[in-house]
Structures are given as C-alpha cells and as structure tokens.
C-alpha cells in the first residue's frame, strides 16, 4: 500500500448503523481521493447512473435506490458500493463497487464511474481503483483475484486498469453492458502477489 500512498482507515465490515441512520465511514484515503460508505445524501447524485451502486439492478429510480440503501447500506458480505470523494473538501466525484462475479472465482469484480465528465482525466478513478484493490486484498484473505470487465472501445478505462497493475487476460465476446447488442469486452485481472 505504501507504493500508492494509500491508508486504510476502517476495516471492511458490515455497515454501522446509528439510531439516526448511516454513520459516515471513510475506509481508505489516498492523495487526491478517499473512499467512504455511501450516505443517503449521495443517492440523488448516484441515481442517474446505471449499475453504479448494484450489479443486480440498475437502481436509477431514486425511491428504489433509497429503499435498497435503507435495507442494506449498499453493503453486503460479498458486494458493496463506495463513494469516491475528493480528499480535500469531501465532494463526491464518483462511485465504485465490488461484487462476486461467480461462486467459483476466489475474488471480486470491480466497477467504477466518475460521474461528471469535467472530473474525468484527473486520476480520480485510478487512485480509487488502487485504494479499493489494496483494501480488498488486505481485508479479505480469501480474495486471490480482482477483475475488471471493460468494453473494448473504452480506452480510458483500459489505461486505468493498466496503471493500477491489472493485466489484460483476454477477450469476452458479446459480454458488454448493453442488452441490445452487447459489445465485446476485455478481461483485466490482478491477483494477490502481483
């Protein structure tokens, strides 16, 4: 972790709830961004973006997103979503998630999005990916593999993966996010010890 200037702040454990709702929990901090649990006030900013808080449903309906957040905090044993926030000021710039992509995979798939185009290209997604990668390997001894599935046209996302030490392992045909005519995707992975 020292290589990236990352600092773990709280272990990956079930979301802490107080009588007033969710307590803000920062889980990792880097130079320009931190990762923290998603709070109710974040939900209107998250709702316009498909599959940024859950891989099982799009959660673009704000009332449904609020319902799921109230029930789970967007944090379960084998999946979770976090806010990417600027270290100075705490403004949320995006979200990341991790989830078990298959029962036989000894690790997780990651996803990320920087919400506003004006915030892209500033290194936020790269640093957040490093932070969550380091944290998952540190906090979950049974996690041996993390992977990203990136549509072949998304060259900016390939660069993020490669800067974070992920290796392109292959091509997944018709595995993209669109249901009309799914794009081909590259599979990137990083394994414990890389």
């Amino acid at each position: 972790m020292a290589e990236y200037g990352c600092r773990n702040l709280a272990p990956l454990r079930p979301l802490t709830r107080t009588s007033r709702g969710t307590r803000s929990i920062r889980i990792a901090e880097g130079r320009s961004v931190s990762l923290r649990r998603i709070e109710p006030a974040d939900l209107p900013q998250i709702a316009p973006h498909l599959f940024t808080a859950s891989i099982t449903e799009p959660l673009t309906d704000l009332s449904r997103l609020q319902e799921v957040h109230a029930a789970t905090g967007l944090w379960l044993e084998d999946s979770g979503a976090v806010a990417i926030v600027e270290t100075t000021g705490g403004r949320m710039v995006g979200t990341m998630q991790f989830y078990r992509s298959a029962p036989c995979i000894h690790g997780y798939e990651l996803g990320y999005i920087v919400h506003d185009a004006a915030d892209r290209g500033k290194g936020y997604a790269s640093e957040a990916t490093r932070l969550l990668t380091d944290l998952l390997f540190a906090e979950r001894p049974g996690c041996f593999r993390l992977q990203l599935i990136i549509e072949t046209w998304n060259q900016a996302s390939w660069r993020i993966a490669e800067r974070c030490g992920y290796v392109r392992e292959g091509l997944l045909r018709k595995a993209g996010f669109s249901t009309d005519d799914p794009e081909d995707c590259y599979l990137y992975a990083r394994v414990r010890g890389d």
Side-chain angles (χ1 to χ4, degrees), residues 62-92:
L62 182 56
S63 61
R64 176 68 181 140
L65 179 56
Q66 290 167 329
E67 177 186 328
V68 171
H69 185 271
T72 67
L74 299 172
W75 199 264
L76 302 169
E77 181 60 32
D78 273 337
S79 65
V82 295
I84 304 169
V85 297
E86 290 178 320
T87 302
T88 57
R91 180 177 68 94
M92 184 173 71

Side-chain angles (χ1 to χ4, degrees), residues 141-179:
C143 176
F144 292 95
R145 173 188 178 83
L146 297 172
Q147 64 185 37
L148 299 160
I149 295 177
I150 301 170
E151 291 176 316
T152 56
W153 59 264
N154 193 344
Q155 191 170 13
S157 201
W158 309 345
R159 288 192 305 266
I160 289 167
E162 291 166 358
R163 272 194 302 269
C164 293
Y166 284 75
V167 175
R168 186 184 296 178
E169 293 185 331
L171 178 72
L172 300 172
R173 297 183 311 146
K174 299 292 184 188
F177 305 106
S178 169
T179 56

Side-chain angles (χ1 to χ4, degrees), residues 123-134:
Y124 293 153
S126 293
E127 188 170 21
T129 300
R130 286 184 198 110
L131 287 168
L132 190 57
T133 297
D134 289 347

Side-chain angles (χ1 to χ4, degrees), residues 17-87:
R17 294 212 179 258
T18 66
S19 59
R20 293 188 167 163
T22 305
R23 186 179 79 199
S24 179
I25 300 175
R26 277 190 309 155
I27 60 171
E29 186 174 297
R31 290 182 196 102
S32 61
V33 297
S34 297
L35 302 179
R36 68 161 167 77
R37 299 284 173 84
I38 292 174
E39 301 171 354
D42 300 327
L43 300 179
Q45 184 179 340
I46 293 170
H49 305 282
L50 288 168
F51 296 105
T52 61
S54 168
I55 195 61
T56 58
E57 62 180 298
L59 291 180
T60 54
D61 176 71
L62 182 56
S63 61
R64 176 68 181 140
L65 179 56
Q66 290 167 329
E67 177 186 328
V68 171
H69 185 271
T72 67
L74 299 172
W75 199 264
L76 302 169
E77 181 60 32
D78 273 337
S79 65
V82 295
I84 304 169
V85 297
E86 290 178 320
T87 302

